[in-house]
Amino acid sequence: KGALVLLLNNHFMLQERLQANEQLARFMGRSGERTGRMVEEDARQLVQRTWLTPLQVLSGVHVPSRKLQSDGLYSRSSRHAIKQALSAFNSEVDAILNNKDLRIEEEVLRMHLVQSSCDFVLPVYAEFLDKFASTRSFSKHPDKYLLYPLERLRPLLHSSLFAGHLSK
């Protein structure tokens, strides 16, 4: 991911220079147009690679309706799977937010990546929470596993993602 961040930063700076300098843009011609497409492709790849593991963790939880007990609660094994998924997701989010190799200096590019990440991750996370964490009891201590409620995760991503540190 570090190499992709470096490549993305370089492509973005070249694109910015081309947009600011009309003479350079004419000189570069079609190469300049390709730079814009490369920035978009690099950004898409960075977002997908960054969030691949946390989303796989969430999508790996499947609780068939037969696993529900007669009182509507999850079985012990299902509760354990949900807790494991949330714990792993929390760890992955912490690692992403604190990863200094994912630092993006240019604020415009950083905010574009943050918004793309929010659009990519939050719907999946919200669906997971709706399906497993909000309607049925999966733990006696849900706060231990729900470290990132949706109302907290979005602002946290906006303040810390691709900044190379976690803003508390």
Side-chain angles (χ1 to χ4, degrees), residues 15-64:
Q15 181 185 22
E16 291 285 300
R17 299 265 192 297
L18 288 171
Q19 290 173 347
N21 187 329
E22 190 176 313
Q23 188 177 21
L24 180 60
R26 278 197 309 272
F27 175 74
M28 293 290 291
R30 293 228 184 261
S31 295
E33 293 172 12
R34 280 195 300 267
T35 301
R37 289 192 300 273
M38 289 170 25
V39 167
E40 285 301 315
E41 177 61 22
D42 293 346
R44 185 186 59 75
Q45 282 186 29
L46 180 60
V47 167
Q48 289 178 352
R49 288 181 186 177
T50 299
W51 291 102
L52 177 66
T53 302
L55 294 182
Q56 284 178 332
V57 164
L58 295 180
S59 65
V61 177
H62 300 286
V63 179

Coordinates of all heavy atoms in Angstrom, one line a residue, residues 15-64:
Q15 N -0.9 15.9 -12.0 CA -2.2 16.4 -12.5 C -2.4 17.9 -12.0 O -2.9 18.7 -12.8 CB -3.3 15.5 -12.0 CG -4.7 15.9 -12.4 CD -5.8 15.1 -11.8 OE1 -5.6 14.5 -10.8 NE2 -6.9 15.1 -12.5
E16 N -2.1 18.2 -10.8 CA -2.2 19.5 -10.3 C -1.4 20.5 -11.1 O -1.8 21.6 -11.4 CB -1.9 19.6 -8.8 CG -2.8 18.9 -7.9 CD -4.1 19.7 -7.7 OE1 -4.0 20.8 -7.2 OE2 -5.2 19.2 -8.1
R17 N -0.2 20.1 -11.4 CA 0.8 21.0 -12.2 C 0.2 21.2 -13.6 O 0.3 22.3 -14.1 CB 2.2 20.4 -12.3 CG 2.8 20.2 -10.9 CD 3.7 21.3 -10.6 NE 4.6 21.2 -9.5 CZ 4.3 20.9 -8.2 NH1 3.1 20.8 -7.9 NH2 5.2 20.9 -7.3
L18 N -0.3 20.1 -14.2 CA -0.9 20.2 -15.5 C -2.1 21.2 -15.6 O -2.3 21.9 -16.5 CB -1.2 18.9 -16.1 CG -0.1 17.9 -16.4 CD1 -0.6 16.5 -16.7 CD2 0.7 18.5 -17.6
Q19 N -2.9 21.1 -14.5 CA -4.1 22.0 -14.5 C -3.7 23.4 -14.3 O -4.4 24.3 -14.7 CB -5.0 21.5 -13.4 CG -5.7 20.2 -13.7 CD -6.6 19.6 -12.6 OE1 -6.5 20.1 -11.5 NE2 -7.4 18.6 -12.9
A20 N -2.6 23.6 -13.6 CA -2.2 25.0 -13.3 C -1.4 25.6 -14.4 O -1.3 26.9 -14.5 CB -1.3 25.0 -12.0
N21 N -0.8 24.8 -15.3 CA 0.1 25.3 -16.3 C -0.4 24.9 -17.7 O -0.2 23.8 -18.1 CB 1.5 24.8 -16.0 CG 2.5 25.5 -17.0 OD1 2.2 25.8 -18.1 ND2 3.8 25.6 -16.5
E22 N -1.1 25.8 -18.3 CA -1.7 25.5 -19.6 C -0.7 25.1 -20.7 O -0.9 24.2 -21.5 CB -2.5 26.7 -20.1 CG -3.4 26.4 -21.3 CD -4.2 27.7 -21.7 OE1 -4.8 28.3 -20.8 OE2 -4.2 28.0 -22.9
Q23 N 0.5 25.8 -20.7 CA 1.5 25.4 -21.6 C 2.0 24.0 -21.4 O 2.3 23.3 -22.4 CB 2.7 26.5 -21.5 CG 3.7 26.4 -22.6 CD 4.8 27.4 -22.4 OE1 4.9 28.0 -21.4 NE2 5.4 27.7 -23.5
L24 N 2.2 23.6 -20.2 CA 2.7 22.3 -19.9 C 1.6 21.3 -20.3 O 2.0 20.2 -20.8 CB 3.0 22.2 -18.4 CG 3.5 20.8 -17.9 CD1 4.8 20.4 -18.6 CD2 3.7 20.8 -16.4
A25 N 0.4 21.6 -20.0 CA -0.7 20.7 -20.4 C -0.8 20.5 -21.9 O -1.0 19.3 -22.4 CB -2.1 21.3 -19.9
R26 N -0.6 21.5 -22.7 CA -0.5 21.4 -24.2 C 0.7 20.5 -24.6 O 0.6 19.7 -25.5 CB -0.4 22.8 -24.8 CG -1.8 23.4 -25.0 CD -1.7 24.6 -26.0 NE -0.7 25.5 -25.8 CZ -0.7 26.6 -25.0 NH1 -1.8 26.9 -24.4 NH2 0.3 27.4 -24.8
F27 N 1.8 20.7 -23.9 CA 3.0 20.0 -24.3 C 2.8 18.5 -24.0 O 3.2 17.6 -24.7 CB 4.2 20.5 -23.5 CG 5.4 19.7 -23.6 CD1 6.2 19.8 -24.8 CD2 5.9 18.8 -22.6 CE1 7.3 19.0 -25.0 CE2 7.0 18.1 -22.8 CZ 7.7 18.2 -24.0
M28 N 2.1 18.2 -22.9 CA 1.9 16.8 -22.4 C 0.8 16.1 -23.3 O 0.8 14.9 -23.4 CB 1.5 16.7 -21.0 CG 2.7 17.1 -20.0 SD 4.0 15.9 -20.0 CE 3.2 14.5 -19.2
G29 N -0.2 16.9 -23.8 CA -1.2 16.3 -24.6 C -2.0 15.2 -24.0 O -2.4 15.3 -22.8
R30 N -2.1 14.1 -24.7 CA -2.8 12.9 -24.2 C -2.2 12.3 -22.9 O -2.9 11.7 -22.1 CB -2.9 11.9 -25.3 CG -3.8 12.3 -26.5 CD -4.8 11.2 -26.8 NE -5.5 11.5 -28.0 CZ -6.7 12.0 -28.0 NH1 -7.3 12.3 -26.8 NH2 -7.4 12.3 -29.1
S31 N -1.0 12.5 -22.7 CA -0.3 12.0 -21.5 C -0.9 12.7 -20.3 O -1.1 12.0 -19.3 CB 1.2 12.2 -21.6 OG 1.8 11.5 -22.6
G32 N -1.2 13.9 -20.4 CA -1.8 14.7 -19.3 C -3.2 14.1 -19.0 O -3.6 14.0 -17.8
E33 N -4.0 13.8 -20.1 CA -5.3 13.2 -19.8 C -5.2 11.9 -19.1 O -6.0 11.5 -18.2 CB -6.0 13.0 -21.2 CG -6.4 14.3 -21.9 CD -6.9 14.2 -23.3 OE1 -7.2 13.0 -23.7 OE2 -7.0 15.2 -24.0
R34 N -4.2 11.1 -19.5 CA -4.0 9.8 -18.9 C -3.7 9.9 -17.4 O -4.0 9.1 -16.6 CB -2.9 9.0 -19.6 CG -3.4 8.3 -20.9 CD -2.5 7.3 -21.4 NE -1.1 7.8 -21.7 CZ -0.7 8.2 -22.8 NH1 -1.6 8.2 -23.9 NH2 0.5 8.7 -23.0
T35 N -3.0 11.0 -17.1 CA -2.6 11.2 -15.7 C -3.9 11.3 -14.8 O -3.9 10.8 -13.7 CB -1.8 12.5 -15.5 OG1 -0.6 12.4 -16.3 CG2 -1.4 12.7 -14.1
G36 N -4.9 12.0 -15.3 CA -6.1 12.1 -14.5 C -6.8 10.8 -14.3 O -7.3 10.5 -13.2
R37 N -6.8 10.0 -15.3 CA -7.3 8.6 -15.2 C -6.5 7.8 -14.3 O -7.0 6.9 -13.5 CB -7.5 8.0 -16.6 CG -8.6 8.6 -17.5 CD -8.8 7.7 -18.7 NE -7.7 7.6 -19.6 CZ -7.3 8.4 -20.5 NH1 -8.1 9.5 -20.8 NH2 -6.3 8.2 -21.3
M38 N -5.2 8.0 -14.3 CA -4.3 7.2 -13.4 C -4.6 7.6 -11.9 O -4.5 6.7 -11.1 CB -2.9 7.4 -13.8 CG -2.5 6.8 -15.1 SD -0.9 7.1 -15.9 CE 0.2 7.6 -14.7
V39 N -4.8 8.9 -11.7 CA -5.1 9.3 -10.3 C -6.4 8.6 -9.8 O -6.4 8.0 -8.7 CB -5.3 10.8 -10.2 CG1 -5.9 11.2 -8.9 CG2 -3.9 11.5 -10.4
E40 N -7.4 8.6 -10.7 CA -8.7 7.9 -10.3 C -8.5 6.4 -10.1 O -9.0 5.9 -9.1 CB -9.8 8.1 -11.3 CG -10.3 9.5 -11.3 CD -11.0 9.9 -10.0 OE1 -11.7 9.1 -9.4 OE2 -10.7 11.0 -9.5
E41 N -7.7 5.8 -10.9 CA -7.5 4.3 -10.8 C -6.7 4.0 -9.5 O -7.0 3.1 -8.8 CB -6.8 3.8 -12.0 CG -6.4 2.3 -12.0 CD -7.6 1.4 -11.8 OE1 -8.8 1.8 -12.1 OE2 -7.4 0.3 -11.3
D42 N -5.6 4.8 -9.3 CA -4.8 4.6 -8.1 C -5.6 4.8 -6.9 O -5.5 4.1 -5.9 CB -3.6 5.6 -8.1 CG -2.6 5.3 -9.2 OD1 -2.6 4.3 -9.8 OD2 -1.7 6.2 -9.5
A43 N -6.5 5.9 -6.9 CA -7.3 6.1 -5.7 C -8.3 5.0 -5.4 O -8.4 4.6 -4.3 CB -8.1 7.4 -5.9
R44 N -8.9 4.5 -6.5 CA -9.8 3.4 -6.3 C -9.1 2.1 -5.8 O -9.6 1.5 -4.8 CB -10.5 3.0 -7.7 CG -11.5 1.9 -7.6 CD -12.0 1.5 -9.0 NE -11.0 1.0 -9.9 CZ -10.5 -0.2 -9.7 NH1 -10.8 -1.0 -8.7 NH2 -9.5 -0.6 -10.5
Q45 N -7.9 1.8 -6.3 CA -7.2 0.7 -5.8 C -6.7 0.9 -4.4 O -6.8 -0.1 -3.6 CB -5.9 0.5 -6.7 CG -6.2 -0.2 -8.0 CD -4.9 -0.5 -8.7 OE1 -3.8 -0.7 -8.1 NE2 -4.9 -0.5 -10.0
L46 N -6.3 2.1 -4.0 CA -5.9 2.3 -2.6 C -7.1 2.1 -1.6 O -6.9 1.5 -0.6 CB -5.3 3.7 -2.5 CG -4.9 4.1 -1.1 CD1 -3.8 3.1 -0.6 CD2 -4.4 5.5 -1.0
V47 N -8.2 2.7 -2.0 CA -9.4 2.5 -1.1 C -9.8 1.0 -1.0 O -10.0 0.5 0.1 CB -10.6 3.3 -1.7 CG1 -11.9 2.9 -1.0 CG2 -10.3 4.8 -1.5
Q48 N -9.8 0.3 -2.1 CA -10.2 -1.1 -2.1 C -9.2 -1.9 -1.3 O -9.5 -2.8 -0.5 CB -10.4 -1.6 -3.5 CG -11.6 -1.1 -4.1 CD -11.8 -1.6 -5.6 OE1 -10.9 -2.3 -6.1 NE2 -12.9 -1.3 -6.2
R49 N -7.9 -1.7 -1.5 CA -6.9 -2.5 -0.8 C -6.8 -2.2 0.7 O -6.6 -3.0 1.5 CB -5.5 -2.2 -1.4 CG -5.3 -2.9 -2.8 CD -4.0 -2.6 -3.4 NE -3.9 -3.1 -4.7 CZ -2.8 -3.0 -5.5 NH1 -1.7 -2.4 -5.0 NH2 -2.8 -3.5 -6.7
T50 N -7.1 -0.9 1.0 CA -7.1 -0.5 2.4 C -8.2 -1.2 3.2 O -8.0 -1.6 4.3 CB -7.2 1.0 2.5 OG1 -6.1 1.6 1.8 CG2 -7.2 1.5 3.9
W51 N -9.3 -1.3 2.6 CA -10.5 -1.8 3.3 C -10.9 -3.2 3.0 O -11.8 -3.7 3.5 CB -11.7 -0.9 3.0 CG -11.5 0.5 3.6 CD1 -11.1 1.6 3.0 CD2 -11.6 0.8 5.0 NE1 -11.0 2.6 3.9 CE2 -11.3 2.2 5.1 CE3 -11.9 0.1 6.1 CZ2 -11.3 2.8 6.4 CZ3 -11.9 0.7 7.4 CH2 -11.6 2.1 7.5
L52 N -10.1 -3.9 2.2 CA -10.4 -5.3 1.9 C -10.5 -6.2 3.1 O -11.5 -6.9 3.3 CB -9.3 -5.9 0.9 CG -9.5 -7.3 0.5 CD1 -10.7 -7.5 -0.3 CD2 -8.2 -7.8 -0.2
T53 N -9.5 -6.2 4.0 CA -9.5 -7.1 5.1 C -10.7 -6.8 6.1 O -11.4 -7.7 6.5 CB -8.2 -7.1 5.9 OG1 -7.2 -7.5 4.9 CG2 -8.2 -8.1 7.0
P54 N -10.9 -5.5 6.5 CA -12.0 -5.3 7.4 C -13.4 -5.7 6.8 O -14.2 -6.2 7.5 CB -12.0 -3.8 7.6 CG -10.6 -3.3 7.3 CD -10.1 -4.3 6.3
L55 N -13.6 -5.5 5.5 CA -14.8 -5.8 4.9 C -15.0 -7.3 4.8 O -16.1 -7.9 4.9 CB -15.0 -5.1 3.6 CG -15.2 -3.6 3.6 CD1 -15.4 -3.0 2.3 CD2 -16.3 -3.2 4.6
Q56 N -13.9 -8.0 4.5 CA -13.9 -9.5 4.5 C -14.3 -10.1 5.8 O -15.1 -11.0 5.9 CB -12.6 -10.1 4.0 CG -12.4 -9.9 2.6 CD -11.0 -10.5 2.2 OE1 -10.0 -10.5 2.9 NE2 -10.9 -10.9 0.9
V57 N -13.8 -9.5 6.9 CA -14.1 -9.9 8.3 C -15.6 -9.8 8.5 O -16.2 -10.8 9.0 CB -13.3 -9.1 9.3 CG1 -13.9 -9.2 10.7 CG2 -11.9 -9.4 9.3
L58 N -16.2 -8.7 8.1 CA -17.6 -8.5 8.3 C -18.5 -9.4 7.4 O -19.5 -10.0 7.9 CB -18.0 -7.1 8.0 CG -17.5 -6.0 9.0 CD1 -17.9 -4.6 8.6 CD2 -17.8 -6.3 10.4
S59 N -18.0 -9.6 6.2 CA -18.8 -10.4 5.3 C -18.7 -11.9 5.5 O -19.5 -12.7 5.0 CB -18.5 -10.1 3.8 OG -17.1 -10.5 3.6
G60 N -17.7 -12.3 6.4 CA -17.5 -13.7 6.7 C -18.5 -14.2 7.7 O -18.5 -15.4 8.0
V61 N -19.4 -13.4 8.3 CA -20.3 -13.8 9.3 C -21.6 -14.2 8.7 O -22.3 -13.3 8.0 CB -20.5 -12.7 10.4 CG1 -21.6 -13.1 11.4 CG2 -19.2 -12.4 11.1
H62 N -22.0 -15.4 8.8 CA -23.3 -15.9 8.3 C -24.0 -16.6 9.5 O -23.5 -17.6 10.0 CB -23.1 -16.8 7.1 CG -22.4 -16.1 6.0 ND1 -23.0 -15.2 5.2 CD2 -21.1 -16.3 5.5 CE1 -22.2 -14.8 4.3 NE2 -21.0 -15.4 4.5
V63 N -25.2 -16.1 9.8 CA -25.9 -16.8 10.9 C -27.3 -17.2 10.3 O -28.2 -16.4 10.1 CB -26.1 -15.8 12.1 CG1 -26.9 -16.5 13.2 CG2 -24.8 -15.3 12.6
P64 N -27.4 -18.5 10.0 CA -28.7 -19.0 9.5 C -29.8 -18.8 10.5 O -29.5 -18.9 11.7 CB -28.4 -20.4 9.2 CG -27.0 -20.7 9.5 CD -26.4 -19.5 10.1

